[in-house]
Every structure is written in structure tokens, then in C-alpha cells.
Amino acid sequence: MDALRPGDPARIGGHRLLGRLGAGGMGVVYLGRTEAGALAAIKVILPEHAGDEDFRTRFRREAEAARRVDSPWAVPVTGADTESETPWLATEFVPGPTLSEVVARCGPLPTRSVHVLGRLLSRALTAVHGAGLVHRDVKPGNVLLTADGPRLIDFGIARAAEATALTATGLVVGTPGFLPPEQATGAGAGAGPEGDVFSLGCLLAYAATGRPPFGSGAVDALLYRTVHDEPDLAGVDDPALRALLGECLAKDPAARPAAADLDTRIAEDVPGDGASADWLPEDVARMIAERSAAMLALPDIEATVNTSATTSAPAPARRRFLALAAGGAVALGAGTFAAVRLIGDEPDGRSGASPAGRRWVIGVHADLTGAQEAAGRAQERGVRLAVDRFNSRTDKPFTLAVKVLDDGGDPARSVRVAEEFARDRDVLAVIGPTGDAATGAALPAYDEAVLPLLTVSSLQISYPARVNAAFFQASPSYAALSMPIVNRLLLRPDVERLGVLIDRSGGQAAYQAGYATNLMTPSLTTGTTHPRVVPAGTSDLGPVIADLLGHRSDALFYAGDAAGGARAARALAATPFEGPSMAQHTVMRPEFLERAGETAEGWEFIAPFTDAGGVSGEPGVPGAADFAAAHRKRFGAAPAAWSAEAYDVTGLVAQEVAALVGSATKGGAGPTGSPTATSSGSTPSGGTPSAGTPSADGRPGRAALVAAIAASRYKGISRTYAFDEERQQLVGQDAHLYRAEGGRYRYLGPAPKPKS
């Protein structure tokens, strides 16, 4: 949920608005609360469309259709005003995730779950059809999962079965991949209740296999396959379920069973009143519980404001408390910081304090004892080298020290680390955390303290919205990395279709990388994809590889972990396939080379980190020689992945602090008249004025430093660093190309970009 914006109303139809659930070109959906305390999802039409009578007619029809459906498995309408100046429609708010979210995060559902899902949704459709309506958009995104069963939502394009559609002739209404052949041909007015049954069959096949039965990719190709091809039900091993899906997906509407018939044909017990989510796998039940628990954080509990900040900042909205609850921060108690290991709190460099006696701290929030220990240690070393370099200046305006705290990769410990850094007023900025989950958990504490946080290895596509915007993602996200992946694999004459294997063992990193690659392929190229999702722990990838090749995949991209990547490499080596193969950069661990052996040879990787030390025997990247030499001298080894990136962002922070200190001195120039530089050089900040009042010793305010970093441009070893204004993510998709050769990862240079 996002915070309300300045132009948003405070109340709608007796509902106090709490935040934004979503927005589109036609309207905004808010989370609201009635005076009695009930939560509601409120769809409000934008003013520019409220005056369009045809649009208002469609919205009025949606409200009327939803009111006519009476089923515990369809979300009920709780209020509406379709005739007011600002039309709105409120439905009961269900905090559960959508089916599409669940399958994306947890993989395909087991057979029993699919049976329960089918039986209860067939009851919802029976109620829809009994009211004389056709839903016309039954898809995973329109089904919410709760402990006691699913809920069908969104009657936005539903219509009376006998009515004429209010759409242009030939317009496809619905969601490609989940609509029936009669809708795929554009004959929207002719799609009846049988079409909803076909869509339900697509939905259940998706739930059972993790992919739509008619594939994905370009819309026209998808529609063609829906009309002409047989559904892909590979992976549906239960004979009864496979037979039922085959009937639902019949091309002839008359050959499909009615929704009411499905209820009687699925002999699966369904959850009773007050039931737990035992009809779903444990990880899905946990996901539902997390959403429900987050809703408990919504009552009137105001988030606190860090009054010790040097500048005033907007008070955090209530939605920040929701993010805290979801991240587990509300479970913390007093004195729990003892579990966090303090690595160091000492000045780096050998030249002593600055002439002014000012000593400030750069924090390192890292995983030094968990699964990402190697990356965390590499980042710590990069920060220390950057601080060494700054402190070696004879004319430095202040001295920097490094304070390192280890979260062990645990989100709960990550929160405690963030709180400790936030309390330490000498900490100017923090580099880290190392992993995605640790970053998401720590964000609220850093945001409330307006403490600049720069991560180089947490690459999620999005994070919960922040009030004070103190977080900077200083590396390309999984989505941004998909662009060079697609360019490398498909911009060649011998590749037309990319097989995308998403291994849920890789968690959110695998899903986001695989999903983004699948999504970007038709956007960036004329090629198509054939995606497959496998549950975590799948030991035999042979059948999945065979399926990808059987669907004419000319190239293969694996998104997952090192162990799964090795299984994929061995399975692929057992086939005649000779095309290009690539794995997500998370696979680039010694484990992949050890387990895959000779079958790893030739696999490529697009990575967000550079080989600054030439560890593979290659010349490395321009400007990295001094850094690599300093690293070897200080630590007795070449720099590892992520070390150069941490070195870069520390240099960026030092540059901006020096510029702020300089602007606060008489005449507005620092002691040297220029910002600090790294071995590769640096470019000055864009002249951002101080956004806050310095402390008595001249230390810049945290909010001022946040503003300076946001406007900065910095030339580092790995890339040029600049951040977009809206989300403060790294601008650009610069990445690096590696190949497995001779039992090692060989650096091939910057990832190639398309010519246009």
C-alpha cells in the first residue's frame, strides 16, 4: 500500500482513506475504513473520466453487476455512488494475496489445493451466472486467497449474458492467456457463461503448473494459440484433474461443463467456517497470515518521528507502520541488540585526525556470517579501502571511520542493526545491507532516521514506499538486468525463442529475474519465450529442459541458485542442444562450477558487478589497477565481487559530505576547493545546496546529505552513479558479462548493448 498523495481526498462516502492500493489510467483504488471500523477497497473514477457518459454507464453497470452476485466466494459490494460528481464503488477488503502473487512467490499449488480452488470458484461463478451475468475476466490476478478459501473480485467488464457489449466491434475484452477462444477472436458480445468456465480452466492449469496453458509472449501469438492450439498441461499428473481441465478448455463452448456441474464433480472437501489455511501449502498459509497480521497494524497508531534529526522532515505516514509490521520489526524487544556482532568502530587510514579534529563514521550493514558472507566481506573491504583513500589526504576537512555491524542475513537482526546505526549520531551514511530480505526489513528504521542508506547488492524491483527517501539502490535491479540478458541471448540471427526456467529454489531473486526476462523479450526483440516455473527442491530438471526444447527454444535462461544451475547444466548437456545458455548471476558461485563440472563450460552470466581485480587473468576494467593493488596490499587477495561497487558508493558519500562541509565554510568552498576523488576520478555534485543545518562541529545534517546524494553524479570503477528522482534507483543498465571456461569465471567485459 502506498501513502496518500497531496491531491487525494481524505474521505469518500463515509470512509476515511488510509492509503492507495493501486492506480490506473481510469481511476484509483484506496484502502478505506468506515466509522464502524470495517476496511473497504474503494474504486474512485478520475475526474477526467467522470464526465464521460459512456464511461459512467460502464461503471454503473459494474456496480449493478457486483451487487447482484451473492456468494461467500465473491467479494461483496459494501457501498457505491455512481451518480455523484466523483463516482465510487466500495467492496469488502480482503488482505490475502492474489493467486498470481502466490504462484509467482511459492510456485505451483499441490493437487488438493487446486481441487479446492476449482470447487469454490465454480460456486462463485455459479452465483455470477445465476444472477444473469458473465464475469469475462477470470484470471489469477482477480482471485484473492484467504485461510477459508478464495475470493473472486473485479466485475469491471462483467455484463448481463443477454446484453450487447459496450465495446467496439473486434475489440478483445479480457486478459490474453486466460480468455476463451470466442473472446480471443474479438467476438466479445458472443462470450457467455461457458467462456468463464474456459477461463477457470486456464486459471486452474496455471495454479497447477505455474504457467498459462497457452504460453505467454506477444498478444497476437497468444490469441492464435488460444484459438488453434491444444493447452499445455504438462506437469498436471493427477488423472482426474487433467481430465477436468481438458473439458473446461474445450474449444467448443457447448462441450464445456457448466460451473454448477464442476462443483458436484470435484470431490474434494473444502474449508469449513473458521478453518485454518490447511488447504494450502505451509508457505502460502504463512504468506496469507503475514498479510492479515499487517492489517492489524492499521488502527490509529502514529509512527514516531526521529526528533534528534538535524533538520525537519515530513512525519512518517501510518503506512510506514504497516511496513514495519510486515517486516517483523514489531516483534523486537528491549535489549535484543546483543545478538548482533560489532565488527569494528575505528578510524581507517594511517594519517590521523583531520586538522579540525572532526571524525565521522561510515556504517557497513552486512551479512558477515550467513549465506552471503563472501559478498558482505567483499563490501566491507571495499568501504575500508575508500575510507583509507580519503583519510590519506593531507588536506582532508575531516576524518572518516568505519563501523561494521553483522546481520547474519537475518531480517530480524537486520532491523536491530539499522536501529543501532540510526541511534549513532556520528554515522553519516550506511553502505548495505547485503541481501534483499535484510534490506526490506531495515528500510523503515533508516527512513525514519533520515539516514542515507546505499545498497549495491540488494536488487529487488521495488521496495515499500518511503517517506523520507533516504534509500538508494546503487546497482541495477533484477528487472534492469533483464535487458542485457535479453540483448545477449536474442539479438542474434539463430535465436527466435528463449526458454526461461524459473527455479523457485532461488526465491524472489529468481522469480523477479525470470519474470522480467520473460516480460522484456517481446518488448525488446521480435522473439518469443516459453517460460517454465519449477517448485523449490525439484531435483530432476530433465523433463523441464525437454519441455523447453520441445517448444522450439533456441536459447535458455536459468533463474535460480547455484545448485539448481548445476542441475540445469547437466540436464542440458544430456540433450543435443547447441544454442546459447545463460544463468542468473546468483548462480556464479564455486558450487556451480564444482557440481556442474564439464557441463558448466560455455554458460554465460550477466552480472551487476565488475571484475575490478582481474581475478580471471583478464585486464579488468579501466581505472581499477590502483584499487586492485591497494586491495592486495591491505588484504592479501584480489578484490572479490561487490568490493569495487562498495568502494565506489563510499567514495560518492565522501564526495558529497566534503562538498557540504565546503559549502558551509566561509566563501562556500571546501578546504581543497574540490570534492574527494577515487582512483578512477569523480565528477562534482550538481551544486546541490544544503538541505539542513550542520551540527556544531560542522557535520552535515542527514537530510542534507540525502538531498546531495540524490542529485549527485559520480564516476566510479564499476559505473557512473546517478539516481532517478522518483524512486532513487540507479540510472542506466550497465552490467558485466562473464563465461564459465576451464573451471573458472572469465570476465568478458561490459555487457554488450544494442546498437539502437
Side-chain angles (χ1 to χ4, degrees):
M1 180 174 70
D2 294 328
L4 294 174
R5 298 179 182 177
D8 287 334
R11 303 182 71 86
I12 285 285
H15 301 83
R16 180 168 63 88
L17 302 187
L18 304 177
R20 284 175 164 237
L21 293 173
M26 300 301 177
V28 181
V29 181
Y30 298 99
L31 178 64
R33 187 196 304 282
T34 67
E35 295 299 333
L39 295 175
I42 307 159
K43 180 185 291 187
V44 179
I45 299 307
L46 294 175
E48 55 264 37
H49 299 297
D52 183 337
E53 191 53 41
D54 285 344
F55 189 89
R56 188 182 285 266
T57 298
R58 289 194 292 271
F59 188 63
R60 186 183 300 120
R61 185 187 62 198
E62 175 184 356
E64 293 170 352
R67 284 185 183 277
R68 289 161 64 177
V69 178
D70 182 15
S71 170
W73 314 116
V75 175
V77 172
T78 58
D81 188 347
T82 60
E83 309 308 319
S84 68
E85 183 177 350
T86 306
W88 59 273
L89 170 68
T91 63
E92 176 186 307
F93 177 70
V94 178
T98 64
L99 176 62
S100 55
E101 289 180 89
V102 164
V103 172
R105 179 170 163 182
C106 304
L109 299 180
T111 299
R112 183 189 175 230
S113 299
V114 178
H115 276 141
V116 173
L117 190 67
R119 190 168 193 184
L120 297 183
L121 288 179
S122 71
R123 293 180 182 179
L125 288 178
T126 298
V128 170
H129 301 159
L133 299 171
V134 183
H135 189 284
R136 299 200 302 166
D137 201 17
V138 178
K139 62 181 180 181
N142 279 342
V143 172
L144 301 173
L145 299 186
T146 72
D148 63 352
R151 300 291 190 277
L152 181 65
I153 64 171
D154 198 352
F155 291 81
I157 60 173
R159 64 175 181 83
E162 72 280 359
T164 300
L166 295 174
T167 55
T169 301
L171 177 65
V172 175
V173 179
T175 303
F178 295 93
L179 46 72
E182 55 269 31
Q183 268 179 262
T185 58
E194 304 87 354
D196 283 346
V197 172
F198 186 95
S199 298
L200 178 61
C202 292
L203 179 149
L204 296 177
Y206 171 84
T209 66
R211 65 187 187 282
F214 296 100
S216 58
V219 171
D220 53 352
L222 233 176
L223 298 178
Y224 180 89
R225 291 195 295 270
T226 299
V227 175
H228 299 285
D229 291 357
E230 291 302 309
D232 176 12
L233 299 180
V236 181
D237 299 324
D238 181 73
L241 178 59
R242 191 181 184 95
L244 189 69
L245 293 180
E247 292 184 41
C248 291
L249 297 173
K251 304 296 185 188
D252 180 4
R256 302 169 200 153
D261 294 335
L262 292 176
D263 182 18
T264 59
R265 289 186 53 182
I266 301 175
E268 184 65 63
D269 292 336
V270 298
D273 293 338
S276 64
D278 61 355
W279 67 283
L280 290 166
E282 182 179 347
D283 52 350
V284 178
R286 188 183 307 113
M287 187 176 178
I288 292 172
E290 288 172 357
R291 295 290 177 90
S292 298
M295 289 302 101
L296 297 177
L298 281 173
D300 296 331
I301 301 174
E302 294 288 353
T304 58
V305 180
N306 184 359
T307 56
S308 63
T310 58
T311 62
S312 61
R318 287 191 182 95
R319 61 127 177 105
R320 202 195 68 75
F321 188 86
L322 174 62
L324 274 167
V330 293
L332 296 178
T336 54
F337 185 71
V340 181
R341 183 163 63 97
L342 179 64
I343 301 301
D345 186 5
E346 76 288 342
D348 284 67
R350 306 293 184 265
S351 55
S354 65
R358 295 177 292 197
R359 174 181 172 275
W360 301 322
V361 176
I362 300 292
V364 179
H365 181 158
D367 175 3
L368 299 175
T369 54
Q372 293 182 283
E373 176 182 357
R377 185 67 65 188
Q379 291 175 35
E380 177 199 349
R381 290 178 171 182
V383 173
R384 291 191 183 280
L385 284 177
V387 168
D388 278 354
R389 186 167 185 86
F390 180 85
N391 287 343
S392 68
R393 291 175 49 178
T394 58
D395 57 351
K396 57 185 175 296
F398 50 85
T399 299
L400 288 176
V402 178
K403 178 176 181 176
V404 184
L405 296 178
D406 173 25
D407 65 21
D410 176 50
R413 288 175 61 178
S414 180
V415 174
R416 300 195 289 274
V417 165
E419 291 174 339
E420 167 66 11
F421 276 132
R423 286 192 295 267
D424 188 341
R425 295 307 303 162
D426 284 335
V427 175
L428 297 172
V430 175
I431 312 303
T434 313
D436 296 332
T439 299
L443 279 182
Y446 286 115
D447 186 60
E448 183 176 349
V450 202
L451 177 56
L453 177 71
L454 300 90
T455 181
V456 298
S457 57
S458 183
L459 311 181
Q460 283 190 176
I461 294 174
S462 63
Y463 294 87
R466 277 83 56 196
V467 173
N468 295 311
F471 173 59
F472 298 88
Q473 193 174 15
S475 198
S477 69
Y478 299 118
L481 288 172
S482 71
M483 298 180 189
I485 289 170
V486 171
N487 291 337
R488 178 67 175 176
L489 289 174
L490 282 136
L491 293 185
R492 56 179 81 194
D494 57 337
V495 175
E496 295 182 358
R497 173 170 292 189
L498 174 63
V500 179
L501 174 52
I502 303 173
D503 189 339
R504 300 303 305 187
S505 295
Q508 275 294 305
Y511 164 68
Q512 292 186 17
Y515 176 81
T517 300
N518 182 60
L519 185 68
M520 295 306 299
T521 295
S523 300
L524 298 174
T525 74
T526 58
T528 59
T529 62
H530 180 66
R532 284 295 306 268
V533 179
V534 298
T538 302
S539 58
D540 184 8
L541 294 181
V544 184
I545 294 293
D547 174 76
L548 293 173
L549 301 184
H551 283 81
R552 305 184 306 281
S553 296
D554 307 306
L556 177 68
F557 175 66
Y558 170 85
D561 59 8
R567 289 193 291 270
R570 292 197 303 270
L572 190 64
T575 73
F577 180 78
E578 296 182 353
S581 52
M582 179 177 286
Q584 187 180 10
H585 74 273
T586 53
V587 173
M588 286 182 63
R589 298 169 65 93
E591 182 182 4
F592 172 74
L593 297 176
E594 293 167 3
R595 294 193 179 190
E598 294 181 356
T599 67
E601 194 75 8
W603 277 70
E604 292 187 343
F605 310 85
I606 296 291
F609 48 78
T610 187
D611 180 14
V615 293
S616 63
E618 299 304 313
V621 295
D626 290 347
F627 167 74
H631 193 285
R632 288 188 176 92
K633 181 178 179 180
R634 175 81 188 271
F635 303 111
W642 301 117
S643 187
E645 287 72 23
Y647 177 84
D648 284 346
V649 296
T650 306
L652 184 158
V653 170
Q655 165 187 287
E656 297 307 322
V657 174
L660 288 172
V661 169
S663 69
T665 62
K666 188 175 181 179
T672 64
S674 64
T676 185
T678 67
S679 63
S680 59
S682 63
T683 55
S685 169
T688 306
S690 175
T693 304
S695 63
D697 64 353
R699 180 183 63 240
R702 287 176 172 178
L705 183 54
V706 167
I709 293 171
S712 67
R713 183 176 178 82
Y714 184 84
K715 174 73 172 173
I717 291 174
S718 180
R719 57 177 52 85
T720 296
Y721 292 82
F723 303 97
D724 67 64
E725 295 181 3
E726 182 178 354
R727 301 173 68 185
Q728 298 189 174
Q729 289 182 320
L730 185 72
V731 174
Q733 293 86 39
D734 291 338
H736 301 273
L737 179 64
Y738 294 80
R739 181 184 296 142
E741 289 184 0
R744 60 185 176 91
Y745 296 113
R746 178 189 172 196
Y747 179 62
L748 302 182
K753 298 180 180 179
K755 295 180 180 180
S756 61

